[in-house]
Amino acid sequence: MDIDMLNLRRAVRGDERAFETLIGPYLDTTYRLCLRMMGDEQDAADMAQEALVRAWRALGSYKGQSRFSTWLYRVTCNVCLDELRRRKNIQTQSLSALQEAGVELVDPGQTPEMAAESAQTRRELTEAIGQLSQEHRAALVLRDVHGLPYEEIAQILDVNLNTVKSRISRARASLRAILSRERNFPARPASKGAEGRDEK
Amino acid sequence: MKCNRIVEAMDGYLDGSLTPLEMGMVESHVEQCAACREELARRRALLDQLNRLDEDVKAPEGLLEGAMQRIHAQRKPKRRAAYWIAGGVAAALCVTAGLAGLGAMLMGGASKMAQTPMAAEPSGGYYTNATMDAGAAYDMPTAAEEEKAWDAAAAIETPKGEPEAAPAPSPAEGAAETMVQGAAKDSAEDGAQYGLKIIRDAHIEIQTENYDGDVERLRALVEEFGGFITSNDEQGSSAYNERYGSSSRYSYMSVRVPSGSLDSFLEQARQVGIVTNSGVTESDVTASYVDTDRRLKAYQKQYDRVLAMMDQAGTVEELIQIESELSRLELQIEDCQGQLNYWDSRVGYSTVNIYLDEVRRAVAVTENATLGERMRSALADSWYGFVEGAKDALVGAYAALPYIAVWVLALGAVSAIIALIVRGVRRKNRKR
Ligand SMILES: [Zn+2]
């Protein structure tokens, strides 16, 4: 158990302050995940808030079957995926369409003192991650940005271990392909089948 | 060709998930091959960039405050209603108690008996889940009802249900979503062909006064039913925690039991201690299962077709293309097969999460208990109170012996004096 059981049980019974104490250490990670999934600061803040509210409501369903952080990741991930699916149904406005329309992509966490080259890299990565499919994006962000083990990602996404492994390896291949295309590198002969390899 | 293999293994190499032999192969190849060395360095740099991508990102100011405001605002009206109900109940209780007191006074002496159950509550109080958060202002007697109404409201607001109940995301990505929907339509007829694929899981919370014994009983029970324990997390010490009203020892046990005997297992497990919460969740994965199985068969067919093309491949380029197509299909087949195995395992074996909580005195706090259960538990409570009260009364009586003795002596003295006076008066009367 990675949390204080007493606070958990109090929060389940409706103690708001206990919930604040419980959730406090996870605010940054929750927001970071939302940021990568949504690709926009305002959306990320909205989704992170939604995730916290939903976590409060669903707290009774947390039975200690996993670490608390895993459970919260799962709630957060579902909130973002639900929203992305909903939007997909309303309008099919992809990131690349936005770029073509001249919309400047927000580079989260960019600070003035950051070296120009590193800022450039971050922008490229942000853009490339945004172009991955939802499922690939979630798997890659959880593994490579948040550094979670495969087993935990399987629990968060509720798929089996092999699916997680193949999603991550395909997501990485897609990411490399997108980056090399954008950086005008010739595509590596080795990264065969990197793009268009979503199950179709 | 060899470089291809090495490049394919690079992610595993960087993840550290290869066998030592494979790791060695990658290392020795990279030492000799400049192209692969370059590629490995590029991948390592990319992973490194991703790892550090968000390390400075902080949650925006006011995130928690905003969420808490929403949470609080949504709760408030109901809480007010809860206060009214609580007030009403309290008023009713006062009137009843007043009437009862009046009756008792009329009957004489009975009021003393009515007090004994309350005397059973020592100053610290006996400990239940409810007393645990007695400090919180909104833990009124009606908190359970409020919570229920609350859950209902939440369910309406988020029609998709809580993440716990959310359907398993389609294993297929992108296009397969529509396929799943299509498959759902004729899942009824397929159900007959495949058998219904229903995952039944359960959770159960038990309070125990005999922690060590009950942990053993649960273990034995799991074994008896042909199940196994997948994780067990025991924490806390047996030292009794005065403040929270329980010893802080508890155990989380996640077990798998054959789904066919889930109900009888639960029935047995419920006998172990006082059940404060339990439930079974069911999810029907038949549609997704059927869909995945169809995709698996389609991929296998495709694989065989592509394999047959190998004989006719003329150029090296064509061969390479075929091989890459084959490895792609292999991944898909593995993916489907893995997902099917996963479902088979979860359908065949139910997961039961057991939470065993050590308390001084187990008390059922079941929200959805039947009337009978509630009556039984209320009776048990009052019987416990009565017995404890009787004990206290006995102890009190014993302790009061010296006082009683004094009183008896005093009464004796007084009555003796009165008797003397009365006798004197009678004598006077007789003399008259
Ligand atoms: Zn090489």
Side-chain angles (χ1 to χ4, degrees):
Chain A
M1 219 49 42
D2 55 337
I3 46 153
D4 178 5
M5 281 305 299
L6 286 168
N7 269 329
L8 173 66
R9 304 193 84 189
R10 287 172 166 192
V12 169
R13 297 247 152 213
D15 187 332
E16 289 171 20
R17 272 170 61 195
F19 181 71
E20 281 184 45
T21 316
L22 198 66
I23 215 88
Y26 303 101
L27 293 176
D28 286 343
T29 42
T30 301
Y31 176 70
R32 285 174 196 170
L33 178 61
C34 291
L35 187 60
R36 287 291 149 218
M37 289 306 292
M38 307 309 292
D40 172 273
E41 282 176 357
Q42 187 53 51
D43 283 351
D46 290 348
M47 287 305 110
Q49 197 188 79
E50 178 64 28
L52 296 183
V53 173
R54 238 196 252 187
W56 161 265
R57 284 185 208 152
L59 206 57
S61 73
Y62 173 63
K63 301 288 175 203
Q65 62 275 59
S66 61
R67 283 156 44 108
F68 182 73
S69 58
T70 309
W71 180 83
L72 186 61
Y73 262 125
R74 190 172 158 174
V75 171
T76 309
C77 216
N78 281 338
V79 165
C80 292
L81 289 173
D82 281 355
E83 176 65 15
L84 289 170
R85 274 183 208 126
R86 197 181 66 83
R87 289 186 190 182
K88 205 159 124 194
N89 290 343
I90 294 171
Q91 58 194 112
T92 47
Q93 194 176 33
S94 71
L95 265 173
S96 45
L98 282 174
Q99 282 164 261
E100 277 161 26
V103 176
E104 187 68 25
L105 280 170
V106 186
D107 180 18
Q110 188 182 356
T111 52
E113 62 266 28
M114 221 167 247
E117 194 192 326
S118 137
Q120 168 71 13
T121 310
R122 294 170 61 83
R123 198 157 35 237
E124 277 173 1
L125 284 178
T126 302
E127 243 170 70
I129 291 171
Q131 286 182 38
L132 296 174
S133 75
Q134 289 162 25
E135 283 79 9
H136 282 181
R137 200 187 310 163
L140 181 115
V141 167
L142 290 171
R143 171 72 202 143
D144 289 338
V145 183
H146 287 248
L148 301 182
Y150 286 97
E151 290 80 8
E152 202 175 330
I153 298 171
Q155 286 182 342
I156 293 169
L157 301 176
D158 197 24
V159 291
N160 74 25
L161 202 56
N162 283 332
T163 307
V164 170
K165 282 181 181 163
S166 70
R167 267 187 205 176
I168 289 171
S169 95
R170 270 176 280 144
R172 283 174 179 164
S174 302
L175 191 75
R176 283 193 294 269
I178 293 165
L179 286 171
S180 66
R181 195 171 56 210
E182 278 174 6
R183 287 170 184 169
N184 274 335
F185 288 151
R188 306 280 315 163
S191 59
K192 55 169 184 171
E195 351 166 11
R197 283 297 180 247
D198 291 4
E199 287 135 301
K200 278 246 163 179
Chain B
M1 267 315 190
K2 182 123 197 262
C3 283
N4 257 353
R5 285 279 154 78
I6 296 298
V7 168
E8 261 167 35
M10 275 180 188
D11 279 344
Y13 177 80
L14 292 171
D15 269 343
S17 61
L18 298 183
T19 63
L21 186 73
E22 291 168 320
M23 299 283 269
M25 276 171 63
V26 172
E27 265 162 26
S28 60
H29 177 91
V30 163
E31 263 173 38
Q32 298 154 10
C33 173
C36 286
R37 192 160 56 235
E38 208 177 291
E39 176 67 14
L40 185 65
R42 211 193 311 275
R43 289 189 185 198
R44 185 175 278 140
L46 176 59
L47 276 185
D48 202 43
Q49 284 164 351
L50 286 170
N51 279 332
R52 286 184 291 110
L53 190 57
D54 283 347
E55 63 186 5
D56 298 326
V57 174
K58 294 259 173 285
E61 292 281 314
L63 170 62
L64 184 60
E65 289 73 12
M68 293 318 292
Q69 254 167 31
R70 271 178 65 193
I71 287 167
H72 195 69
Q74 286 167 332
R75 280 168 63 90
K76 225 173 186 174
K78 282 181 192 101
R79 181 142 340 115
R80 223 164 257 156
Y83 276 132
W84 279 110
I85 297 167
V89 169
L93 279 177
C94 281
V95 170
T96 315
L99 285 176
L102 201 67
M105 255 158 74
L106 289 174
M107 284 165 73
S111 62
K112 247 189 190 161
M113 272 183 64
Q115 275 172 2
T116 42
M118 278 152 95
E121 231 30 54
S123 55
Y126 272 93
Y127 304 102
T128 67
N129 266 342
T131 51
M132 213 174 91
D133 9 58
Y138 30 77
D139 276 297
M140 308 302 289
T142 49
E145 271 97 352
E146 182 201 356
E147 226 41 63
K148 247 184 233 168
W150 173 251
D151 286 347
I156 293 165
E157 212 171 302
T158 50
K160 287 212 71 178
E162 307 299 357
E164 197 61 13
S170 161
E173 291 153 33
E177 270 170 43
T178 47
M179 286 171 66
V180 173
Q181 278 161 5
K185 273 182 209 147
D186 33 46
S187 74
E189 50 198 80
D190 283 322
Q193 189 193 328
Y194 287 86
L196 282 177
K197 299 290 177 188
I198 292 171
I199 296 171
R200 292 184 78 224
D201 291 337
H203 64 88
I204 180 165
E205 284 180 30
I206 302 173
Q207 287 189 347
T208 173
E209 290 168 77
N210 173 20
Y211 180 84
D212 295 307
D214 286 347
V215 167
E216 280 317 304
R217 269 177 79 188
L218 282 172
R219 284 175 193 271
L221 208 57
V222 171
E223 211 161 288
E224 187 188 316
F225 275 85
F228 51 94
I229 296 170
T230 53
S231 75
N232 188 10
D233 187 9
E234 283 185 56
Q235 280 202 13
S237 72
S238 58
Y240 186 70
N241 188 328
E242 283 297 334
R243 193 164 152 226
Y244 296 122
S246 67
S247 72
S248 48
R249 213 151 47 135
Y250 56 84
S251 164
Y252 268 112
M253 223 186 260
S254 194
V255 307
R256 306 284 304 274
V257 290
S259 51
S261 47
L262 175 66
D263 292 318
S264 40
F265 173 81
L266 287 176
E267 205 171 289
Q268 296 277 308
R270 284 194 186 107
Q271 310 298 318
V272 169
I274 300 285
V275 177
T276 53
N277 189 355
S278 81
V280 176
T281 54
E282 276 184 17
S283 61
D284 186 345
V285 293
T286 313
S288 312
Y289 190 96
V290 169
D291 174 57
T292 305
D293 193 60
R294 278 187 183 154
R295 290 200 299 122
L296 173 65
K297 282 174 183 148
Y299 284 133
Q300 278 164 343
K301 227 180 250 172
Q302 213 176 328
Y303 187 86
D304 292 342
R305 266 206 305 271
V306 176
L307 202 61
M309 283 163 66
M310 239 178 179
D311 296 335
Q312 297 146 27
T315 65
V316 177
E317 214 162 62
E318 273 174 354
L319 260 176
I320 290 173
Q321 215 176 346
I322 287 171
E323 202 178 297
S324 105
E325 181 63 9
L326 283 178
S327 70
R328 183 185 78 88
L329 287 167
E330 269 165 16
L331 256 180
Q332 302 287 11
I333 288 168
E334 263 173 43
D335 217 36
C336 291
Q337 194 60 61
Q339 189 65 38
L340 290 176
N341 292 345
Y342 172 71
W343 277 326
D344 279 338
S345 145
R346 291 205 50 192
V347 167
Y349 276 80
S350 294
T351 303
V352 184
N353 290 309
I354 304 170
Y355 174 63
L356 193 68
D357 193 12
E358 182 178 42
V359 290
R360 231 194 194 176
R361 186 192 150 225
V363 173
V365 197
T366 326
E367 278 172 35
N368 45 4
T370 64
L371 181 62
E373 276 168 358
R374 265 156 51 198
M375 281 169 68
R376 229 176 304 138
S377 115
L379 182 66
D381 274 1
S382 77
W383 175 247
Y384 182 88
F386 176 74
V387 170
E388 291 297 311
K391 280 185 202 161
D392 276 16
L394 212 63
V395 171
Y398 192 70
L401 272 179
Y403 299 93
I404 292 173
V406 168
W407 274 107
V408 166
L409 283 177
L411 275 173
V414 169
S415 53
I417 291 164
I418 290 173
L420 282 174
I421 294 169
V422 167
R423 216 176 285 169
V425 169
R426 277 192 193 149
R427 245 179 239 159
K428 260 184 202 166
N429 285 352
R430 230 176 275 163
K431 274 181 187 170
R432 260 186 208 169

